[in-house]
mmCIF file of all heavy atoms in Angstrom:
data_model
loop_
_atom_site.group_PDB
_atom_site.id
_atom_site.type_symbol
_atom_site.label_atom_id
_atom_site.label_comp_id
_atom_site.label_asym_id
_atom_site.label_seq_id
_atom_site.Cartn_x
_atom_site.Cartn_y
_atom_site.Cartn_z
ATOM 1 N N VAL A 96 29.083 -7.489 0.587
ATOM 2 C CA VAL A 96 27.816 -8.117 0.267
ATOM 3 C C VAL A 96 27.778 -9.445 1.028
ATOM 4 O O VAL A 96 28.691 -10.298 0.927
ATOM 5 C CB VAL A 96 27.799 -8.516 -1.252
ATOM 6 C CG1 VAL A 96 26.404 -9.127 -1.550
ATOM 7 C CG2 VAL A 96 27.945 -7.077 -2.028
ATOM 8 N N VAL A 97 26.725 -9.632 1.776
ATOM 9 C CA VAL A 97 26.612 -10.840 2.647
ATOM 10 C C VAL A 97 25.461 -11.676 2.188
ATOM 11 O O VAL A 97 24.287 -11.140 2.063
ATOM 12 C CB VAL A 97 26.411 -10.421 4.122
ATOM 13 C CG1 VAL A 97 26.288 -11.669 4.997
ATOM 14 C CG2 VAL A 97 27.523 -9.520 4.596
ATOM 15 N N SER A 98 25.727 -12.910 1.839
ATOM 16 C CA SER A 98 24.675 -13.805 1.372
ATOM 17 C C SER A 98 24.133 -14.542 2.620
ATOM 18 O O SER A 98 24.821 -15.238 3.325
ATOM 19 C CB SER A 98 25.213 -14.859 0.349
ATOM 20 O OG SER A 98 25.724 -14.170 -0.739
ATOM 21 N N LEU A 99 22.812 -14.301 2.852
ATOM 22 C CA LEU A 99 22.181 -15.022 3.989
ATOM 23 C C LEU A 99 21.583 -16.336 3.329
ATOM 24 O O LEU A 99 20.658 -16.306 2.622
ATOM 25 C CB LEU A 99 21.030 -14.174 4.591
ATOM 26 C CG LEU A 99 21.420 -13.105 5.516
ATOM 27 C CD1 LEU A 99 22.478 -12.183 4.985
ATOM 28 C CD2 LEU A 99 20.194 -12.351 5.980
ATOM 29 N N MET A 100 22.302 -17.443 3.650
ATOM 30 C CA MET A 100 21.948 -18.684 2.879
ATOM 31 C C MET A 100 21.308 -19.746 3.784
ATOM 32 O O MET A 100 21.741 -20.036 4.900
ATOM 33 C CB MET A 100 23.210 -19.266 2.318
ATOM 34 C CG MET A 100 23.733 -18.444 1.176
ATOM 35 S SD MET A 100 25.073 -19.338 0.309
ATOM 36 C CE MET A 100 24.861 -18.738 -1.319
ATOM 37 N N HIS A 101 20.180 -20.227 3.237
ATOM 38 C CA HIS A 101 19.441 -21.341 3.972
ATOM 39 C C HIS A 101 18.431 -21.837 3.006
ATOM 40 O O HIS A 101 17.869 -21.098 2.251
ATOM 41 C CB HIS A 101 18.755 -20.730 5.209
ATOM 42 C CG HIS A 101 18.167 -21.797 6.109
ATOM 43 N ND1 HIS A 101 17.064 -22.526 5.870
ATOM 44 C CD2 HIS A 101 18.658 -22.282 7.315
ATOM 45 C CE1 HIS A 101 16.799 -23.404 6.755
ATOM 46 N NE2 HIS A 101 17.774 -23.229 7.698
ATOM 47 N N PRO A 102 18.250 -23.138 3.024
ATOM 48 C CA PRO A 102 17.196 -23.772 2.097
ATOM 49 C C PRO A 102 15.861 -23.093 2.124
ATOM 50 O O PRO A 102 15.162 -22.957 1.133
ATOM 51 C CB PRO A 102 17.083 -25.216 2.442
ATOM 52 C CG PRO A 102 18.436 -25.468 3.191
ATOM 53 C CD PRO A 102 18.889 -24.195 3.805
ATOM 54 N N LEU A 103 15.447 -22.592 3.310
ATOM 55 C CA LEU A 103 14.176 -21.939 3.408
ATOM 56 C C LEU A 103 14.122 -20.541 2.836
ATOM 57 O O LEU A 103 13.045 -19.879 2.705
ATOM 58 C CB LEU A 103 13.793 -21.786 4.951
ATOM 59 C CG LEU A 103 13.129 -23.015 5.540
ATOM 60 C CD1 LEU A 103 12.955 -22.759 7.109
ATOM 61 C CD2 LEU A 103 11.783 -23.275 4.868
ATOM 62 N N LEU A 104 15.311 -20.011 2.413
ATOM 63 C CA LEU A 104 15.295 -18.669 1.823
ATOM 64 C C LEU A 104 15.361 -18.726 0.267
ATOM 65 O O LEU A 104 15.512 -17.741 -0.358
ATOM 66 C CB LEU A 104 16.541 -17.926 2.365
ATOM 67 C CG LEU A 104 16.564 -17.711 3.867
ATOM 68 C CD1 LEU A 104 17.955 -17.098 4.311
ATOM 69 C CD2 LEU A 104 15.371 -16.968 4.393
ATOM 70 N N ALA A 105 15.298 -19.974 -0.299
ATOM 71 C CA ALA A 105 15.428 -20.061 -1.747
ATOM 72 C C ALA A 105 14.326 -19.333 -2.494
ATOM 73 O O ALA A 105 14.551 -18.675 -3.502
ATOM 74 C CB ALA A 105 15.374 -21.516 -2.102
ATOM 75 N N ASP A 106 13.103 -19.310 -1.890
ATOM 76 C CA ASP A 106 11.997 -18.562 -2.464
ATOM 77 C C ASP A 106 11.576 -17.571 -1.416
ATOM 78 O O ASP A 106 11.882 -17.692 -0.257
ATOM 79 C CB ASP A 106 10.806 -19.473 -2.953
ATOM 80 C CG ASP A 106 9.990 -18.747 -4.060
ATOM 81 O OD1 ASP A 106 10.126 -17.539 -4.259
ATOM 82 O OD2 ASP A 106 9.240 -19.489 -4.777
ATOM 83 N N TYR A 107 10.703 -16.552 -1.908
ATOM 84 C CA TYR A 107 10.338 -15.575 -0.892
ATOM 85 C C TYR A 107 9.389 -16.104 0.217
ATOM 86 O O TYR A 107 8.450 -16.858 -0.128
ATOM 87 C CB TYR A 107 9.624 -14.446 -1.648
ATOM 88 C CG TYR A 107 9.143 -13.316 -0.725
ATOM 89 C CD1 TYR A 107 10.072 -12.513 -0.096
ATOM 90 C CD2 TYR A 107 7.807 -13.130 -0.487
ATOM 91 C CE1 TYR A 107 9.669 -11.559 0.811
ATOM 92 C CE2 TYR A 107 7.394 -12.096 0.382
ATOM 93 C CZ TYR A 107 8.333 -11.293 1.039
ATOM 94 O OH TYR A 107 7.871 -10.359 1.879
ATOM 95 N N GLY A 108 9.671 -15.646 1.384
ATOM 96 C CA GLY A 108 8.820 -16.019 2.542
ATOM 97 C C GLY A 108 8.996 -14.885 3.583
ATOM 98 O O GLY A 108 10.170 -14.726 4.029
ATOM 99 N N PRO A 109 7.976 -14.148 3.867
ATOM 100 C CA PRO A 109 8.172 -12.987 4.751
ATOM 101 C C PRO A 109 8.684 -13.349 6.126
ATOM 102 O O PRO A 109 9.586 -12.551 6.659
ATOM 103 C CB PRO A 109 6.816 -12.331 4.852
ATOM 104 C CG PRO A 109 5.833 -13.254 4.221
ATOM 105 C CD PRO A 109 6.632 -14.166 3.357
ATOM 106 N N GLU A 110 8.242 -14.404 6.715
ATOM 107 C CA GLU A 110 8.687 -14.744 8.070
ATOM 108 C C GLU A 110 10.176 -15.192 8.051
ATOM 109 O O GLU A 110 10.930 -14.779 8.877
ATOM 110 C CB GLU A 110 7.764 -15.862 8.626
ATOM 111 C CG GLU A 110 6.464 -15.452 9.075
ATOM 112 C CD GLU A 110 5.693 -16.546 9.762
ATOM 113 O OE1 GLU A 110 5.381 -17.605 9.103
ATOM 114 O OE2 GLU A 110 5.415 -16.404 10.914
ATOM 115 N N ALA A 111 10.482 -16.052 7.081
ATOM 116 C CA ALA A 111 11.846 -16.618 7.012
ATOM 117 C C ALA A 111 12.869 -15.500 6.639
ATOM 118 O O ALA A 111 13.903 -15.446 7.239
ATOM 119 C CB ALA A 111 11.885 -17.719 5.979
ATOM 120 N N TRP A 112 12.515 -14.635 5.706
ATOM 121 C CA TRP A 112 13.364 -13.529 5.358
ATOM 122 C C TRP A 112 13.571 -12.536 6.531
ATOM 123 O O TRP A 112 14.706 -12.154 6.843
ATOM 124 C CB TRP A 112 12.854 -12.782 4.104
ATOM 125 C CG TRP A 112 13.040 -13.459 2.814
ATOM 126 C CD1 TRP A 112 12.943 -14.837 2.564
ATOM 127 C CD2 TRP A 112 13.513 -12.893 1.524
ATOM 128 N NE1 TRP A 112 13.240 -15.034 1.203
ATOM 129 C CE2 TRP A 112 13.622 -13.924 0.574
ATOM 130 C CE3 TRP A 112 13.825 -11.573 1.100
ATOM 131 C CZ2 TRP A 112 13.966 -13.626 -0.711
ATOM 132 C CZ3 TRP A 112 14.222 -11.313 -0.124
ATOM 133 C CH2 TRP A 112 14.258 -12.404 -1.109
ATOM 134 N N GLY A 113 12.448 -12.292 7.216
ATOM 135 C CA GLY A 113 12.519 -11.382 8.386
ATOM 136 C C GLY A 113 13.391 -11.938 9.462
ATOM 137 O O GLY A 113 14.244 -11.281 10.053
ATOM 138 N N GLU A 114 13.212 -13.285 9.773
ATOM 139 C CA GLU A 114 14.008 -13.928 10.748
ATOM 140 C C GLU A 114 15.449 -13.948 10.448
ATOM 141 O O GLU A 114 16.262 -13.604 11.333
ATOM 142 C CB GLU A 114 13.454 -15.363 10.990
ATOM 143 C CG GLU A 114 14.141 -16.182 12.004
ATOM 144 C CD GLU A 114 13.976 -15.663 13.457
ATOM 145 O OE1 GLU A 114 12.820 -15.188 13.763
ATOM 146 O OE2 GLU A 114 15.000 -15.620 14.231
ATOM 147 N N ALA A 115 15.832 -14.202 9.169
ATOM 148 C CA ALA A 115 17.240 -14.305 8.791
ATOM 149 C C ALA A 115 17.830 -12.963 8.976
ATOM 150 O O ALA A 115 18.961 -12.873 9.478
ATOM 151 C CB ALA A 115 17.295 -14.789 7.344
ATOM 152 N N ILE A 116 17.191 -11.895 8.499
ATOM 153 C CA ILE A 116 17.789 -10.598 8.566
ATOM 154 C C ILE A 116 17.883 -10.105 10.051
ATOM 155 O O ILE A 116 18.869 -9.502 10.425
ATOM 156 C CB ILE A 116 16.943 -9.656 7.718
ATOM 157 C CG1 ILE A 116 17.248 -9.935 6.199
ATOM 158 C CG2 ILE A 116 17.337 -8.138 7.970
ATOM 159 C CD1 ILE A 116 16.279 -9.415 5.216
ATOM 160 N N ALA A 117 16.869 -10.449 10.812
ATOM 161 C CA ALA A 117 16.875 -10.097 12.258
ATOM 162 C C ALA A 117 18.147 -10.754 12.937
ATOM 163 O O ALA A 117 18.834 -10.104 13.711
ATOM 164 C CB ALA A 117 15.667 -10.486 12.992
ATOM 165 N N GLN A 118 18.426 -11.994 12.585
ATOM 166 C CA GLN A 118 19.610 -12.643 13.127
ATOM 167 C C GLN A 118 20.891 -12.023 12.690
ATOM 168 O O GLN A 118 21.846 -11.846 13.515
ATOM 169 C CB GLN A 118 19.619 -14.128 12.742
ATOM 170 C CG GLN A 118 18.492 -14.907 13.532
ATOM 171 C CD GLN A 118 18.556 -16.395 13.124
ATOM 172 O OE1 GLN A 118 19.489 -16.996 12.624
ATOM 173 N NE2 GLN A 118 17.357 -17.086 13.465
ATOM 174 N N PHE A 119 20.895 -11.638 11.397
ATOM 175 C CA PHE A 119 22.190 -10.959 10.902
ATOM 176 C C PHE A 119 22.301 -9.644 11.583
ATOM 177 O O PHE A 119 23.442 -9.234 11.970
ATOM 178 C CB PHE A 119 22.058 -10.857 9.360
ATOM 179 C CG PHE A 119 23.232 -10.086 8.709
ATOM 180 C CD1 PHE A 119 24.514 -10.540 9.004
ATOM 181 C CD2 PHE A 119 23.057 -9.035 7.946
ATOM 182 C CE1 PHE A 119 25.608 -9.899 8.421
ATOM 183 C CE2 PHE A 119 24.122 -8.407 7.378
ATOM 184 C CZ PHE A 119 25.418 -8.783 7.626
ATOM 185 N N VAL A 120 21.212 -8.896 11.798
ATOM 186 C CA VAL A 120 21.246 -7.567 12.405
ATOM 187 C C VAL A 120 21.766 -7.701 13.906
ATOM 188 O O VAL A 120 22.587 -6.921 14.305
ATOM 189 C CB VAL A 120 19.882 -6.896 12.346
ATOM 190 C CG1 VAL A 120 19.831 -5.689 13.300
ATOM 191 C CG2 VAL A 120 19.580 -6.512 10.890
ATOM 192 N N ALA A 121 21.221 -8.696 14.548
ATOM 193 C CA ALA A 121 21.579 -8.983 15.976
ATOM 194 C C ALA A 121 23.156 -9.242 16.018
ATOM 195 O O ALA A 121 23.793 -8.795 17.022
ATOM 196 C CB ALA A 121 20.821 -10.058 16.524
ATOM 197 N N GLN A 122 23.625 -9.929 15.079
ATOM 198 C CA GLN A 122 25.121 -10.274 15.107
ATOM 199 C C GLN A 122 25.900 -9.043 14.755
ATOM 200 O O GLN A 122 26.925 -8.754 15.382
ATOM 201 C CB GLN A 122 25.362 -11.388 14.148
ATOM 202 C CG GLN A 122 26.760 -11.898 14.258
ATOM 203 C CD GLN A 122 27.418 -12.142 12.873
ATOM 204 O OE1 GLN A 122 27.276 -11.334 11.946
ATOM 205 N NE2 GLN A 122 28.167 -13.231 12.707
ATOM 206 N N ARG A 123 25.506 -8.273 13.605
ATOM 207 C CA ARG A 123 26.276 -7.302 13.061
ATOM 208 C C ARG A 123 26.149 -5.855 13.792
ATOM 209 O O ARG A 123 26.979 -5.082 13.723
ATOM 210 C CB ARG A 123 25.956 -7.180 11.605
ATOM 211 C CG ARG A 123 26.701 -6.173 10.805
ATOM 212 C CD ARG A 123 28.131 -6.648 10.611
ATOM 213 N NE ARG A 123 28.902 -5.509 10.216
ATOM 214 C CZ ARG A 123 29.618 -5.458 9.094
ATOM 215 N NH1 ARG A 123 29.660 -6.470 8.316
ATOM 216 N NH2 ARG A 123 30.328 -4.406 8.711
ATOM 217 N N ARG A 124 25.074 -5.719 14.387
ATOM 218 C CA ARG A 124 24.743 -4.456 15.112
ATOM 219 C C ARG A 124 25.005 -3.201 14.244
ATOM 220 O O ARG A 124 25.812 -2.372 14.599
ATOM 221 C CB ARG A 124 25.519 -4.302 16.459
ATOM 222 C CG ARG A 124 25.177 -5.507 17.390
ATOM 223 C CD ARG A 124 25.963 -5.334 18.664
ATOM 224 N NE ARG A 124 25.541 -6.267 19.631
ATOM 225 C CZ ARG A 124 24.496 -6.162 20.351
ATOM 226 N NH1 ARG A 124 23.693 -5.156 20.230
ATOM 227 N NH2 ARG A 124 24.135 -7.148 21.123
ATOM 228 N N PRO A 125 24.251 -3.064 13.158
ATOM 229 C CA PRO A 125 24.456 -1.840 12.296
ATOM 230 C C PRO A 125 23.790 -0.643 12.924
ATOM 231 O O PRO A 125 22.966 -0.784 13.824
ATOM 232 C CB PRO A 125 23.661 -2.326 11.101
ATOM 233 C CG PRO A 125 22.556 -3.143 11.583
ATOM 234 C CD PRO A 125 23.175 -3.899 12.683
ATOM 235 N N ALA A 126 24.116 0.532 12.446
ATOM 236 C CA ALA A 126 23.502 1.769 12.856
ATOM 237 C C ALA A 126 22.022 1.748 12.309
ATOM 238 O O ALA A 126 21.110 2.211 12.961
ATOM 239 C CB ALA A 126 24.295 3.012 12.336
ATOM 240 N N ALA A 127 21.821 1.235 11.091
ATOM 241 C CA ALA A 127 20.543 1.299 10.436
ATOM 242 C C ALA A 127 20.315 0.190 9.488
ATOM 243 O O ALA A 127 21.380 -0.438 8.971
ATOM 244 C CB ALA A 127 20.387 2.637 9.757
ATOM 245 N N VAL A 128 19.115 -0.193 9.203
ATOM 246 C CA VAL A 128 18.784 -1.114 8.123
ATOM 247 C C VAL A 128 17.764 -0.443 7.207
ATOM 248 O O VAL A 128 16.825 0.148 7.705
ATOM 249 C CB VAL A 128 18.160 -2.458 8.721
ATOM 250 C CG1 VAL A 128 17.948 -3.484 7.616
ATOM 251 C CG2 VAL A 128 19.005 -3.013 9.835
ATOM 252 N N LEU A 129 18.099 -0.465 5.911
ATOM 253 C CA LEU A 129 17.193 0.135 4.963
ATOM 254 C C LEU A 129 16.690 -0.828 3.953
ATOM 255 O O LEU A 129 17.370 -1.835 3.603
ATOM 256 C CB LEU A 129 18.021 1.201 4.146
ATOM 257 C CG LEU A 129 17.885 2.716 4.630
ATOM 258 C CD1 LEU A 129 18.488 2.765 5.967
ATOM 259 C CD2 LEU A 129 18.536 3.586 3.649
ATOM 260 N N ALA A 130 15.454 -0.620 3.537
ATOM 261 C CA ALA A 130 14.939 -1.386 2.400
ATOM 262 C C ALA A 130 14.051 -0.458 1.536
ATOM 263 O O ALA A 130 13.713 0.635 2.062
ATOM 264 C CB ALA A 130 14.010 -2.611 2.831
ATOM 265 N N CYS A 131 13.789 -0.821 0.334
ATOM 266 C CA CYS A 131 12.835 0.017 -0.468
ATOM 267 C C CYS A 131 11.417 -0.237 -0.023
ATOM 268 O O CYS A 131 11.073 -1.410 0.312
ATOM 269 C CB CYS A 131 13.055 -0.258 -1.892
ATOM 270 S SG CYS A 131 12.100 0.905 -2.978
ATOM 271 N N GLY A 132 10.628 0.744 0.028
ATOM 272 C CA GLY A 132 9.220 0.547 0.474
ATOM 273 C C GLY A 132 8.264 -0.042 -0.545
ATOM 274 O O GLY A 132 7.220 0.533 -0.800
ATOM 275 N N THR A 133 8.650 -1.255 -0.968
ATOM 276 C CA THR A 133 7.760 -1.960 -1.843
ATOM 277 C C THR A 133 6.872 -2.888 -1.026
ATOM 278 O O THR A 133 7.078 -2.930 0.221
ATOM 279 C CB THR A 133 8.591 -2.831 -2.773
ATOM 280 O OG1 THR A 133 9.411 -3.680 -1.916
ATOM 281 C CG2 THR A 133 9.474 -2.022 -3.713
ATOM 282 N N ASP A 134 6.009 -3.609 -1.595
ATOM 283 C CA ASP A 134 5.201 -4.610 -0.874
ATOM 284 C C ASP A 134 6.117 -5.496 0.019
ATOM 285 O O ASP A 134 5.962 -5.667 1.255
ATOM 286 C CB ASP A 134 4.384 -5.504 -1.769
ATOM 287 C CG ASP A 134 3.165 -4.824 -2.364
ATOM 288 O OD1 ASP A 134 2.871 -3.672 -1.883
ATOM 289 O OD2 ASP A 134 2.531 -5.366 -3.273
ATOM 290 N N ARG A 135 7.119 -6.110 -0.645
ATOM 291 C CA ARG A 135 7.992 -6.947 0.015
ATOM 292 C C ARG A 135 8.973 -6.249 0.999
ATOM 293 O O ARG A 135 9.259 -6.756 2.076
ATOM 294 C CB ARG A 135 8.863 -7.796 -0.972
ATOM 295 C CG ARG A 135 8.102 -8.906 -1.652
ATOM 296 C CD ARG A 135 9.025 -9.706 -2.472
ATOM 297 N NE ARG A 135 8.363 -10.847 -3.129
ATOM 298 C CZ ARG A 135 8.919 -11.780 -3.832
ATOM 299 N NH1 ARG A 135 10.189 -11.768 -4.043
ATOM 300 N NH2 ARG A 135 8.163 -12.787 -4.429
ATOM 301 N N GLY A 136 9.469 -5.115 0.579
ATOM 302 C CA GLY A 136 10.374 -4.344 1.364
ATOM 303 C C GLY A 136 9.782 -3.972 2.753
ATOM 304 O O GLY A 136 10.326 -4.181 3.820
ATOM 305 N N ASN A 137 8.550 -3.364 2.655
ATOM 306 C CA ASN A 137 7.868 -2.976 3.937
ATOM 307 C C ASN A 137 7.505 -4.207 4.747
ATOM 308 O O ASN A 137 7.540 -4.204 5.967
ATOM 309 C CB ASN A 137 6.612 -2.187 3.582
ATOM 310 C CG ASN A 137 6.920 -0.775 3.299
ATOM 311 O OD1 ASN A 137 7.804 -0.131 3.972
ATOM 312 N ND2 ASN A 137 6.174 -0.108 2.395
ATOM 313 N N GLU A 138 7.105 -5.329 4.042
ATOM 314 C CA GLU A 138 6.722 -6.536 4.810
ATOM 315 C C GLU A 138 7.856 -7.114 5.558
ATOM 316 O O GLU A 138 7.721 -7.475 6.765
ATOM 317 C CB GLU A 138 6.126 -7.488 3.750
ATOM 318 C CG GLU A 138 5.609 -8.761 4.468
ATOM 319 C CD GLU A 138 4.888 -9.673 3.467
ATOM 320 O OE1 GLU A 138 5.337 -9.818 2.311
ATOM 321 O OE2 GLU A 138 3.834 -10.207 3.769
ATOM 322 N N VAL A 139 8.990 -7.304 4.882
ATOM 323 C CA VAL A 139 10.159 -7.909 5.554
ATOM 324 C C VAL A 139 10.636 -6.999 6.740
ATOM 325 O O VAL A 139 10.902 -7.525 7.739
ATOM 326 C CB VAL A 139 11.354 -8.178 4.553
ATOM 327 C CG1 VAL A 139 12.583 -8.571 5.254
ATOM 328 C CG2 VAL A 139 10.877 -9.205 3.532
#
Side-chain angles (χ1 to χ4, degrees):
Chain A
V96 182
V97 181
S98 298
L99 279 53
M100 288 189 152
H101 190 285
L103 274 177
L104 302 173
D106 205 342
Y107 179 68
E110 286 186 296
W112 283 42
E114 180 63 41
I116 288 160
Q118 287 180 17
F119 179 54
V120 167
Q122 187 227 41
R123 183 68 196 240
R124 299 182 173 282
V128 185
L129 264 65
C131 190
T133 56
D134 284 351
R135 284 186 179 185
N137 277 324
E138 183 174 43
V139 171

